[in-house]
């Protein structure tokens, strides 16, 4: 480039001089011949006519020389680049070759042996062999392949590879000697290398190579996980099953996948603390079949295994179905890509998703801080495995203490109390309130319930606040704040439920700061393509404000509605869910709305009859899960005019049956039906109307509590 520039600097003045001379000759021609001959004269410059042709020739020579110089420079530059490129490639080719991997070396040996038509025996390697020292422990593998016997003995191929566990290093003959060593003796018989060695060529277990195969293991682990599900339901409880049934009812060809952390198919939880404890069948703990109060037997599972399709066949079945993926937990949600990640790393894409993760039992901080020995002797009651574990413990220990006086704690206390005499078991129940279910029932009814539980054989300790729990001399010591000390063998903590909202962060979902749970709109939708139902949903009640409910009926109804909305129904959640609790087969109650003992209450009671028990209620409805038998039509057929005249309310403390109204601003916001069953639609309508009532005794007549 510099040479071309130098040549141009020398030739440029001559070119300019030649151009100036040509221009002067043209002007002289104009003066001599006039304007008419100007074009002809200019044309003669390009053809080299006589008279000035010498100057034109010099101009052409200079320009041609310049072009020639540029061409020579370009040619020499390209030639030099080509030479340098060839030198570089030769240098690369002469470099020492990299060590091939074990798989490549063995493959090369196999290929060479196949190409040989005659036996060839390699010359022994004369170069010194340097064995590489590898810090990691090595595993020597000798693979002796099966040999096809021929009439003439032929040499047998033997490959000996010394390699570390993580990486096999095989060295073939090359310019530089490398280690480990490969000794090869060839014969025409082809070498077959496979994962499993035939019996004809046994290999000892100590010689087996243990190489990691993450891709194969991952594929095997995820083989039962479908890649896509049109309807993905996270959680395997009541809400998920109700949603799956609702989806299939509206979309018969729907493919629904339920992912649950538990190892069980969807089941109902209420019998775990109720009927299962009163079963006479010794195998009930294993079969999970029980007799309802009406004597009919049923299973705790919603449907048998034959009802479901295999997750691997979900995409193949012609008419869709419901599949359950057990033992898997969803740990991350990608709402933009519409996919979730499981605990084992598998990913599932979806079109519509329901979060029905429920909750986990709360524990006392004093128990969590007490150490491993205390935690091993503490049960947080929630699942089937918890029921089986506690049932077994009740037969092995001498004393069980239940901490908590709510629904679950009181139900378990009554259940274990009935067994206490036969098992020689001491059952203790302690709670900070002044009576059982003191946060729900008015004080007089809570006191009556406490006496009822005591009669079941339970030692009740009220106004008890746990200060410390320790393990000493093979016993748990529970120290209360007032100084009382309780010794026991096992503790059951029944102090509430914490909603599972672990997916809120990855999914970008809002968690309610007051009630907990995912905040949803009136259609139970948390965001686009994501719905929430059951215990984990914090919804807005148009009559009672924002709420979160932890009961079976709410799980059924909210799951059913979420399933409908996932198929395009767009229905709001206006249902007033109910809940029920049974203290054995003789006393039970159903409730709806806000039932808080801190609210003003009005109770109307009557004398109970033989049919005013949970047992009689299930005989009439045909099912122990009373919320499943409800229909709104009942409310329309029951009218006040058909009610018998009221009888005087019992003045003594005999609350056989009755109705308790909970008021806020003189409006009924909650109702408890005490030993009054199958009247919940009426209570639901009263709360829905939201009217003030001057005389609640007249309203109580709607429930027919004075009938014989």
């Amino acid at each position: 480039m510099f040479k071309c520039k130098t040549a141009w600097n020398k030739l440029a003045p001559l070119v300019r001089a030649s151009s100036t001379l040509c221009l002067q000759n043209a002007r002289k021609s104009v003066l001599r011949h006039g304007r008419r001959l100007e074009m002809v004269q200019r044309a003669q410059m390009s053809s080299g006519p006589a008279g000035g042709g010498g100057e034109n020739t010099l101009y052409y020579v200079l320009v041609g020389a310049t072009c020639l110089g540029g061409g020579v420079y370009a040619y020499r530059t390209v030639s030099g680049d080509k030479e340098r490129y060839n030198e570089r490639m030769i240098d690369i080719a002469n470099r020492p070759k990299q060590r091939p991997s074990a798989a490549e070396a063995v493959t090369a040996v196999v290929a060479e042996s196949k190409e040989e038509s005659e036996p060839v025996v390699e010359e022994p390697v004369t170069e010194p062999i340097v064995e590489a020292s590898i810090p990691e422990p090595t595993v020597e593998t000798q693979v002796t392949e099966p040999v096809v016997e021929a009439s003439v003995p032929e040499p047998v191929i033997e490959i000996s590879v010394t390699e570390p566990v993580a990486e096999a290093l095989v060295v073939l003959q090359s310019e530089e000697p490398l280690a480990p060593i490969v000794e090869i003796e060839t014969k025409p018989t082809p070498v077959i290398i496979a994962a499993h060695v035939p019996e004809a060529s046994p290999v000892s277990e100590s010689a087996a190579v243990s190489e990691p195969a993450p891709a194969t293991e991952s594929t095997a682990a995820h083989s039962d996980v479908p890649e896509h599900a049109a309807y993905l339901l996270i959680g395997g409880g009541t809400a998920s099953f109700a949603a799956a049934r609702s989806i299939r009812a509206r979309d018969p060809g729907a493919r629904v996948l339920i992912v649950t952390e538990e190892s069980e198919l969807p089941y109902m939880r209420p019998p775990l603390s109720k009927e299962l404890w009163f079963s006479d069948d010794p195998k009930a703990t294993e079969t999970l079949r029980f007799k309802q109060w009406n004597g009919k037997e049923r299973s705790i599972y919603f449907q048998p295994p034959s009802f479901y399709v295999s997750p691997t066949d979900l995409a193949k079945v012609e008419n869709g179905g419901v599949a359950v993926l057990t033992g898997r937990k969803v740990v991350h949600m990608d709402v933009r890509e519409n996919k979730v990640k499981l605990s084992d790393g598998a990913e599932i894409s979806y079109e519509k998703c329901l979060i029905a993760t429920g909750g986990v039992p709360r524990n006392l901080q004093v128990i969590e801080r007490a150490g491993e020995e205390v935690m091993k002797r503490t049960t947080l009651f929630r699942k089937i495995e918890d029921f089986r574990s506690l049932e077994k413990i009740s037969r092995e220990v001498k004393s069980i203490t239940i901490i908590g006086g709510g629904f679950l704690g009181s139900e378990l206390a009554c259940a274990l109390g009935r067994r206490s005499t036969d098992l020689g078991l001491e059952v203790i129940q302690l709670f900070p309130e002044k009576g059982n279910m003191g946060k729900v029932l008015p004080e007089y009814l809570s006191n009556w319930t406490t006496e009822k539980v005591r009669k079941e054989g339970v030692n009740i300790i009220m106004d008890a606040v746990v200060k410390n729990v320790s393990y000493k001399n093979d016993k748990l010591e529970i120290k209360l704040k007032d100084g009382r000390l309780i010794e026991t063998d096992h503790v059951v903590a029944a102090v509430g439920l914490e909603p599972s909202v672990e997916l809120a962060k990855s999914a970008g979902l809002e968690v309610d700061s007051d009630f907990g749970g995912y905040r949803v709109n009136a259609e139970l939708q948390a965001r686009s393509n994501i719905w929430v139902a059951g215990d984990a949903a914090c919804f807005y009640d148009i009559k009672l404000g924002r709420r979160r409910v932890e009961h079976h009926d709410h799980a059924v109804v909210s799951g059913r509605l979420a399933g409908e909305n996932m198929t395009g129904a767009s229905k709001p959640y206006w249902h007033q869910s109910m809940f029920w609790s049974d203290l054995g087969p003789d006393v039970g109650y159903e409730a709806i709305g806000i039932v808080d003992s801190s609210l003003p209450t009005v109770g109307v009671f009557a004398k109970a009859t033989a049919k005013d028990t949970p047992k009689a209620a299930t005989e009439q409805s045909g099912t122990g899960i009373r919320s499943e038998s409800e229909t709104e039509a009942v409310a329309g057929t029951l009218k006040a005019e058909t009610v018998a005249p009221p009888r005087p309310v019992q003045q003594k403390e005999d609350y056989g049956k009755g109705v308790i109204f909970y008021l806020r601003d003189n409006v009924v916001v909650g109702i408890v039906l005490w030993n009054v069953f199958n009247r919940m639609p009426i209570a639901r309508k009263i709360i829905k109307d939201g009217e003030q009532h001057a005389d609640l005794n007249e309203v109580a007549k709607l429930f027919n509590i004075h009938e014989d």
Side-chain angles (χ1 to χ4, degrees):
M1 188 67 184
F2 291 107
K3 295 179 180 180
C4 183
K5 185 176 181 180
T6 303
W8 174 255
N9 290 336
K10 292 180 179 180
L11 297 177
L14 298 177
V15 174
R16 285 194 293 270
S18 177
S19 300
T20 303
L21 182 61
C22 292
L23 183 60
Q24 291 176 354
N25 291 338
R27 289 176 179 173
K28 291 178 181 180
S29 299
V30 171
L31 295 176
R32 185 181 307 120
H33 301 288
R35 186 176 184 85
R36 185 177 181 82
L37 298 177
E38 180 179 359
M39 296 301 298
V40 178
Q41 186 65 29
R42 288 185 179 182
Q44 292 174 354
M45 289 177 61
S46 62
S47 59
E55 292 82 357
N56 291 342
T57 302
L58 179 61
Y59 173 79
Y60 290 134
V61 171
L62 294 175
V63 174
T66 302
C67 296
L68 180 61
V72 172
Y73 170 77
Y75 174 77
R76 294 186 62 182
T77 301
V78 172
S79 300
D81 291 343
K82 184 175 181 181
E83 292 177 0
R84 286 191 294 273
Y85 172 78
N86 292 334
E87 292 175 358
R88 177 67 174 168
M89 297 306 297
I90 293 173
D91 181 61
I92 294 175
N94 292 333
R95 289 182 180 179
K97 296 182 180 180
Q98 296 182 353
R99 297 179 179 181
S101 64
E104 294 173 349
V106 174
T107 303
V109 173
V110 174
E112 291 178 3
S113 62
K114 288 183 178 181
E115 293 176 358
E116 294 292 339
S117 58
E118 296 179 0
V120 177
V121 179
E122 278 193 16
E123 295 291 336
V125 180
T126 59
E127 298 179 358
I129 298 175
V130 181
E131 294 187 2
S133 60
I134 302 173
E136 295 83 12
T138 60
V139 178
E140 295 188 358
T141 303
Q142 293 185 351
V143 182
T144 305
E145 301 299 333
V147 181
V148 180
E149 296 293 339
S151 57
V152 180
E154 296 179 348
V156 181
I157 296 177
E158 181 176 353
I159 301 177
S160 174
V161 182
T162 303
E163 53 185 357
V165 175
E167 180 181 2
L169 299 177
V170 180
V171 181
L172 299 177
Q173 182 179 357
S174 61
E175 296 180 3
E176 298 181 9
L178 301 173
I181 305 169
V182 176
E183 297 179 358
I184 303 177
E185 296 181 2
T186 60
K187 68 169 287 180
T189 306
V191 181
I192 302 175
I193 298 180
H196 300 281
V197 181
E199 295 181 358
S201 178
V203 179
S204 63
E205 295 182 359
S206 60
V209 179
S210 176
E211 296 187 12
T216 305
E217 292 179 0
S218 177
T219 303
H222 303 162
S223 59
D224 61 334
V225 180
E227 297 180 355
H228 177 78
Y231 297 95
L232 177 64
L233 313 183
I234 304 175
T238 301
S240 276
F241 181 79
R245 189 164 51 185
S246 179
I247 291 170
R248 291 281 296 170
R250 289 178 54 87
D251 183 3
R255 305 178 193 276
V256 183
L257 176 64
I258 298 175
V259 180
T260 174
E261 189 177 358
E262 295 189 51
S263 59
E264 306 287 346
L265 295 174
Y267 62 91
M268 60 188 78
R269 299 189 191 275
L272 294 179
S273 59
K274 296 180 177 69
E275 293 92 341
L276 276 173
W277 290 96
F278 298 92
S279 176
D280 297 329
D281 184 3
K283 297 182 180 179
T285 306
E286 299 299 327
T287 63
L288 298 176
R289 296 190 64 84
F290 61 96
K291 288 185 178 181
Q292 302 174 113
W293 303 138
N294 60 4
K296 295 182 180 179
E297 187 177 271
R298 67 170 298 174
S299 172
I300 195 175
Y301 296 100
F302 289 112
Q303 292 290 346
S306 58
F307 171 82
Y308 305 95
V309 301
S310 171
T312 56
D313 297 333
L314 183 61
K316 306 173 186 177
V317 289
E318 182 178 357
N319 298 320
V322 179
V324 181
L325 193 62
T326 58
R328 310 294 175 89
K329 182 179 181 180
V330 176
V331 297
H332 186 272
M333 290 191 68
D334 187 343
V335 296
R336 293 184 178 180
E337 298 295 332
N338 281 1
K339 63 181 180 181
V340 300
K341 184 177 181 180
L342 305 185
S343 53
D344 60 359
E347 292 186 348
I348 304 174
S349 61
Y350 62 86
E351 297 174 18
K352 304 291 179 63
C353 179
L354 172 69
I355 300 177
T357 49
V360 294
R362 289 193 184 101
N363 196 0
L364 296 176
Q365 292 185 358
V366 293
I367 294 179
E368 293 177 342
R369 296 194 300 261
E372 182 180 356
E373 292 297 331
V374 174
M375 286 297 297
K376 283 179 4 181
R377 292 164 175 81
T378 302
T379 296
L380 302 178
F381 198 88
R382 176 69 173 172
K383 305 175 182 178
I384 288 178
E385 60 190 57
D386 300 327
F387 161 73
R388 287 172 170 165
S389 174
L390 185 59
E391 199 277 338
K392 180 181 179 182
I393 291 171
S394 68
R395 299 178 181 275
E396 298 174 347
V397 301
K398 298 298 183 181
S399 174
I400 294 179
T401 297
I402 301 169
I403 302 177
F407 307 109
L408 179 61
S410 299
E411 290 172 359
L412 290 176
C414 287
L416 291 172
R418 287 216 171 182
R419 292 186 170 195
S420 61
T421 303
D422 297 336
L423 299 177
L425 176 68
E426 179 188 18
V427 180
I428 304 170
Q429 184 185 16
L430 58 89
F431 43 80
E433 295 82 25
K434 296 185 181 299
N436 285 79
M437 287 173 290
K439 292 183 178 180
V440 176
L441 302 177
E443 185 177 354
Y444 63 89
L445 198 55
S446 174
N447 294 337
W448 187 91
T449 304
T450 303
E451 293 302 318
K452 173 67 171 64
V453 177
R454 276 200 177 107
K455 292 179 180 179
E456 295 290 344
V458 181
N459 181 15
I460 302 292
I461 302 177
M462 301 175 291
D463 297 317
V465 179
V466 179
K467 180 181 180 180
N468 183 39
V469 181
S470 60
Y471 178 70
K472 296 179 181 179
N473 301 323
D474 295 331
K475 287 281 186 178
L476 293 177
E477 290 187 358
I478 304 174
K479 186 176 181 180
L480 305 182
K481 281 192 175 181
D482 58 7
R484 287 178 290 180
L485 188 65
I486 302 168
E487 289 189 351
T488 187
D489 295 320
H490 196 82
V491 168
V492 179
V495 292
L497 191 74
E498 192 70 29
S500 297
V501 291
E502 297 174 353
L503 297 175
K505 185 176 181 180
S506 62
L509 304 181
E510 182 182 2
V511 177
D512 189 86
S513 58
D514 296 327
F515 301 97
Y518 300 100
R519 289 177 69 99
V520 296
N521 61 14
E523 298 174 2
L524 301 180
Q525 191 172 22
R527 62 181 299 170
S528 178
N529 296 331
I530 299 178
W531 287 258
V532 186
D535 299 343
C538 183
F539 61 97
Y540 183 77
D541 190 313
I542 59 175
K543 291 294 182 181
L544 306 176
R546 188 160 289 279
R547 305 175 62 200
R548 190 178 66 84
V549 180
E550 300 174 355
H551 298 294
H552 177 85
D553 182 63
H554 168 68
V556 172
V557 178
S558 63
R560 182 169 60 217
L561 179 66
E564 292 179 2
N565 289 339
M566 291 172 74
T567 57
S570 300
K571 294 181 180 180
Y573 186 66
W574 290 347
H575 179 78
Q576 286 292 337
S577 60
M578 58 84 68
F579 63 92
W580 80 97
S581 180
D582 296 335
L583 302 179
D586 300 326
V587 177
Y589 62 88
E590 299 175 352
I592 188 173
I594 300 177
V595 287
D596 189 338
S597 60
S598 63
L599 295 174
T601 61
V602 174
V604 181
F605 292 87
K607 185 178 180 179
T609 63
K611 65 180 181 179
D612 298 320
T613 63
K615 181 177 180 180
T618 54
E619 289 176 351
Q620 181 178 351
S621 64
T623 176
I625 310 301
R626 295 195 284 275
S627 63
E628 295 181 352
S629 64
E630 293 179 8
T631 58
E632 293 293 342
V634 178
T637 58
L638 296 174
K639 299 181 181 180
E641 291 77 11
T642 62
V643 180
R647 295 182 179 180
V649 179
Q650 301 292 322
Q651 299 299 321
K652 60 181 180 179
E653 291 187 0
D654 184 12
Y655 305 105
K657 64 177 178 180
V659 182
I660 301 97
F661 300 96
Y662 293 75
L663 306 177
R664 188 170 62 188
D665 299 330
N666 294 324
V667 176
V668 177
V669 295
I671 297 175
V672 169
L673 302 181
W674 186 260
N675 273 343
V676 176
F677 306 101
N678 301 322
R679 296 292 186 270
M680 191 50 65
I682 303 174
R684 182 173 288 113
K685 187 175 187 303
I686 293 172
I687 294 179
K688 183 178 180 180
D689 292 342
E691 299 177 354
Q692 293 186 2
H693 300 275
D695 188 359
L696 289 174
N697 283 282
E698 293 296 322
V699 179
K701 295 178 182 179
L702 296 172
F703 296 93
N704 297 346
I705 63 172
H706 300 292
E707 287 185 345
D708 291 333

